[in-house]
């Protein structure tokens, strides 16, 4: 091949040989044969349990649809891990995982008709692309498309983790990320993850034990668990893992362990901000969530940024707020309604048959709502008052009115879209609602401030609930505020006046530290917040004095459409929360708690004036730059993590993907570099040093698969050794070794045809040796 004899060794040639050979001949050896399938299956099964610990804590809070989410994600994870055990090419693997993600998406959002939903989703996908191109904002796309992106990311994560564990035989990276993620959920979101941490430690120890057994059994092709020492190893490993986990449970069983104090990143951020120049009373800028409506009851207090995307338009003869859901249970950080029950309702019949349409304190109007995006169940339907009936205006392909399944709750006066009997989503519906018209004088006659004897027992039992941990100073403040109010209406107005005079409206807020009651922190520490702060504080203060009240979330009145008379445009920025107070003989009356907002009905407010009332302009404080900007910048990620637990999961997933990608690129780098040299320009083909450096990783790959080269053995002898000679690539390896030596001691710039032949053989070997 090369004419010069390789016995003529130059000093530089020897140096290059030593340097280049050392790149690949000192690696640890892996067995030439793959381990039995029982190991891969066992590790993947335990890895499934460990992966579910990322999902279970955020679905264990009883939220609607959480069981379905957990079941679908568990099935998707199991399918992904099974796919990872199959021998398929990388293109087929990507397509297979994409099909799994799409199937899971249909099961997640398709309700009882996943196939029908799948046929409709391409239209939603195209609309999402159009919306994103127009707004350039992620929140403008639909929940379904966000779910698809999340599932695709989860598929990539599972593929990377499984490859890392089975090929690199290391679970500590993913295990450490899992424990860190759970601690972030406990620290920032206040979720109870103790059991998940204990289980995660058990799964990590079991996987690590099996991986360690594989290292000890290098070269063993068919080990059995019944013979010594394999059975004893497995038994001891399982017993040790279970024992270590049980030991961690003993302290909590023997004595009561007080709950840990929250490691509040907000507090650390505030200290850093004060060090940077902020005063305790100043506001600290932070990255925030976009205002909008969500059915998820997350901990309240995260900062917000005003959104402007249109949510729906509505035709109404009167200005109204738009009710979505009510909440009755307050736990100190968020609202929920675990006991709320819905019944199936027919759009053709009245939802209420108790004579509400004849009430003296209410009047009946008709409203038509047109959603900006197609709406699918399960989701709430927004109405301007107490709904009496509802009809859908959408038509199917046969020009027939669509019929959908509705869920109605007479107690909360809310409606949910449960699903459809056909494959058409809804966008428009018309509803008859009752809106309150009671005057302040009428409301004053309906109940004394301190008298609850006229309230039904069910009302008192449900809507006077307060957490046992509510600080006593909140109850004392409620007594001081309401003291002297003779009627229930006067008590409500006294609380509203106090909040208006002692708190400021702002979207630039922070999450309260763990262990701190949300209302207590708002009333006695920060003194500033937005609608969630004011409305929650008002409900708690009223309940503390025995006045039934509940929390309502939905949308404000919106703005009049300048082109269509009687039509209003409601955007994500109109998302709002307010208060409803029970008055015996009249029912639930709405009240506005937030300064700068005006309730159109329920407080004796003139509707025309309410339509013109807008919240005051917000002027967030400007940062001063330098150290102040640095402190605010460091606090922003902390608040974002506290507001969105999934953000912590996304960051951890991104870190794992980056690590797995780095490992994968290190394995692919030899082949990629050789490919680049094959495409080298004709006028300046690489010299001997570059050729040898590019092909050197082939020796490292040979060492990993067949074992390192013994001391004193030449490269040709190593290539002809029994372990390498028995392989399918023995001929290429022998020729590669011979060409390596000729190139090493040959001319500085060999012929192009010889160099191309050498590189092609090196590339072929690199690809085969990299295959799992």
């Amino acid at each position: 091949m090369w004419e010069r004899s390789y016995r003529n060794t130059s000093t530089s040639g020897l140096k290059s040989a030593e340097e280049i050979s050392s790149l690949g001949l000192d690696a640890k050896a892996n067995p030439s044969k793959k381990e039995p399938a029982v190991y891969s299956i066992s590790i993947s099964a335990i890895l499934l349990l460990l992966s579910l610990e990322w999902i279970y804590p955020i679905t264990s809070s009883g939220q609607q649809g959480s069981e379905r989410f957990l079941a679908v994600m568990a099935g998707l994870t199991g399918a992904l891990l099974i796919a990872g055990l199959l021998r398929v090419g990388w293109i087929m693997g990507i397509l297979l995982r994409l099909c799994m993600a799409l199937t899971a998406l249909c099961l997640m959002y398709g309700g009882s008709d996943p196939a029908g939903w799948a046929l409709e989703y391409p239209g939603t996908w195209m609309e999402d692309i159009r919306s994103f191109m127009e707004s350039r904002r992620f929140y403008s796309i639909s929940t379904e498309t966000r779910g698809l992106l999340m599932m695709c990311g989860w598929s990539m994560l599972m593929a990377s983790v499984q490859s890392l564990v089975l090929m690199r035989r290391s679970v500590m990276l993913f295990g450490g990320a899992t424990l860190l993620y759970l601690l972030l959920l406990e620290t920032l979101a206040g979720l109870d993850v103790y059991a998940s941490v204990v289980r995660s430690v058990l799964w990590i120890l079991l996987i690590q034990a099996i991986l360690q057994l594989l290292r000890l059994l290098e070269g063993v092709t068919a080990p059995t668990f019944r013979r010594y020492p394999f059975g004893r190893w497995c038994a001891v490993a399982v017993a040790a893992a279970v024992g270590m986990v049980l030991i961690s449970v003993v302290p909590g069983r023997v004595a009561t362990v007080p709950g840990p104090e929250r490691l509040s990143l907000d507090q650390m951020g505030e200290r850093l901000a004060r060090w940077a120049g902020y005063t305790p009373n100043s506001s600290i800028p932070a990255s925030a969530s976009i205002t909008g409506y969500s059915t998820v009851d997350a901990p309240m207090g995260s900062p917000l940024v005003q959104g402007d995307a249109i949510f729906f338009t509505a035709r109404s003869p009167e200005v109204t707020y738009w009710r979505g859901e009510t909440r009755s249970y307050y736990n100190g950080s968020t609202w929920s309604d675990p006991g709320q029950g819905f019944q199936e309702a027919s759009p053709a019949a009245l939802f209420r048959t108790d004579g509400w349409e004849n009430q003296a304190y209410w009047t009946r109007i008709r409203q038509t709502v047109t959603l900006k995006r197609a709406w699918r169940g399960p989701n709430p339907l927004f109405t301007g008052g107490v709904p009496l009936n509802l009809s859908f205006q959408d038509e199917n392909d046969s020009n027939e009115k669509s019929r959908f399944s509705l869920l109605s709750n007479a107690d909360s006066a809310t409606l949910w879209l449960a699903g459809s009997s056909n494959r058409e989503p809804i966008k428009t519906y018309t509803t008859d609602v009752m809106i309150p018209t009671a005057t302040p004088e009428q409301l004053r006659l309906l109940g004394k401030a301190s008298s609850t004897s006229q309230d039904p027992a069910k009302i008192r039992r449900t809507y006077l609930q307060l957490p046992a941990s509510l600080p006593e100073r909140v109850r004392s403040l409620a007594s001081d505020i309401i003291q002297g109010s003779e009627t229930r209406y006067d008590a409500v107005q006294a609380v509203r006046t106090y909040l208006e005079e002692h708190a400021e409206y702002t979207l630039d807020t922070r999450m309260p530290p763990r262990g701190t009651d949300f209302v207590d922190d708002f009333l006695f520490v920060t003194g500033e917040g937005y609608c969630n702060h004011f409305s929650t504080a008002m409900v708690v203060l009223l309940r503390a004095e025995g006045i039934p009240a509940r929390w309502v979330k939905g949308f404000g009145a919106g703005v009049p459409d300048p082109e269509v008379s009687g039509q209003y445009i409601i955007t994500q920025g109109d998302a709002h929360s307010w208060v409803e107070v029970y008055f015996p003989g009249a029912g639930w009356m709405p009240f506005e708690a937030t300064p700068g907002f005006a309730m159109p009905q329920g407080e004796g407010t003139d509707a025309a004036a309410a339509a013109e009332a807008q919240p005051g302009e917000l002027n967030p404080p400007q940062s001063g730059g330098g150290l102040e900007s640095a402190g605010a910048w460091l606090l922003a990620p902390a608040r974002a993590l506290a507001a969105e637990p999934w953000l912590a999961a996304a960051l951890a997933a991104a870190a794992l993907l980056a690590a797995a990608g780095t490992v994968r690129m290190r394995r692919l780098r030899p082949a990629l570099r050789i490919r680049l040299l094959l495409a080298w320009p004709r006028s300046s083909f690489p010299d001997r040093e570059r050729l040898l450096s590019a092909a050197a990783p082939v020796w490292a790959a040979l060492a990993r698969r067949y074992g390192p080269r013994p001391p004193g053995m030449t490269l040709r002898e190593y290539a002809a050794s029994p372990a390498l000679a028995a392989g399918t690539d023995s001929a290429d390896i022998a020729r590669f070794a011979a060409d390596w030596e000729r190139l090493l001691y040959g001319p500085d710039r060999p012929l192009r045809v010889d160099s191309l032949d050498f590189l092609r053989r090196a590339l072929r070997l690199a690809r085969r040796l990299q295959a799992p």
Side-chain angles (χ1 to χ4, degrees), residues 305-380:
V305 171
Q306 194 80 3
D308 56 4
I310 298 177
F311 196 81
F312 63 88
T313 59
R315 294 180 62 89
S316 175
E318 300 288 344
V319 181
T320 65
Y321 276 12
W322 300 93
R323 302 173 78 254
E325 300 172 83
T326 67
R327 294 290 183 261
S328 62
Y329 186 84
Y330 172 68
N331 65 2
S333 64
T334 189
W335 286 96
S336 63
D337 211 338
Q340 190 171 169
F342 286 86
Q343 295 181 346
E344 290 188 7
S346 172
L350 287 175
F351 301 138
R352 305 186 67 97
T353 57
D354 50 3
W356 269 65
E357 62 273 19
N358 300 320
Q359 287 276 355
Y361 306 103
W362 303 77
T363 187
R364 181 170 179 166
I365 64 172
R366 175 165 292 183
Q367 299 173 322
T368 299
V369 173
T370 302
L371 296 158
K372 181 67 175 177
R373 305 180 61 87
W375 206 237
R376 297 177 176 87
N379 268 310

Side-chain angles (χ1 to χ4, degrees), residues 4 84 168 188 196 228 327 383 386 584-586 633 646 761:
R4 181 181 298 180
R168 305 296 295 178
L188 302 178
S196 294
Y228 178 90
R327 294 290 183 261
T383 61
V386 178
W633 181 83
W646 271 106
R761 184 171 291 105

Side-chain angles (χ1 to χ4, degrees), residues 489-534:
Y489 178 83
D490 293 331
V492 174
Q493 294 300 327
V495 173
R496 179 181 179 182
T497 301
Y498 177 86
L499 294 176
E500 184 176 5
E501 293 177 350
H502 293 82
E504 296 181 0
Y505 181 87
T506 179
L507 298 179
D508 185 23
T509 59
R510 64 161 177 78
M511 295 286 289
R514 185 185 181 187
T516 300
D517 185 87
F518 175 74
V519 172
D520 179 82
D521 184 69
F522 168 62
L523 293 175
F524 296 99
V525 180
T526 64
E528 57 185 17
Y530 45 89
C531 57
N532 287 350
H533 297 74
F534 286 91

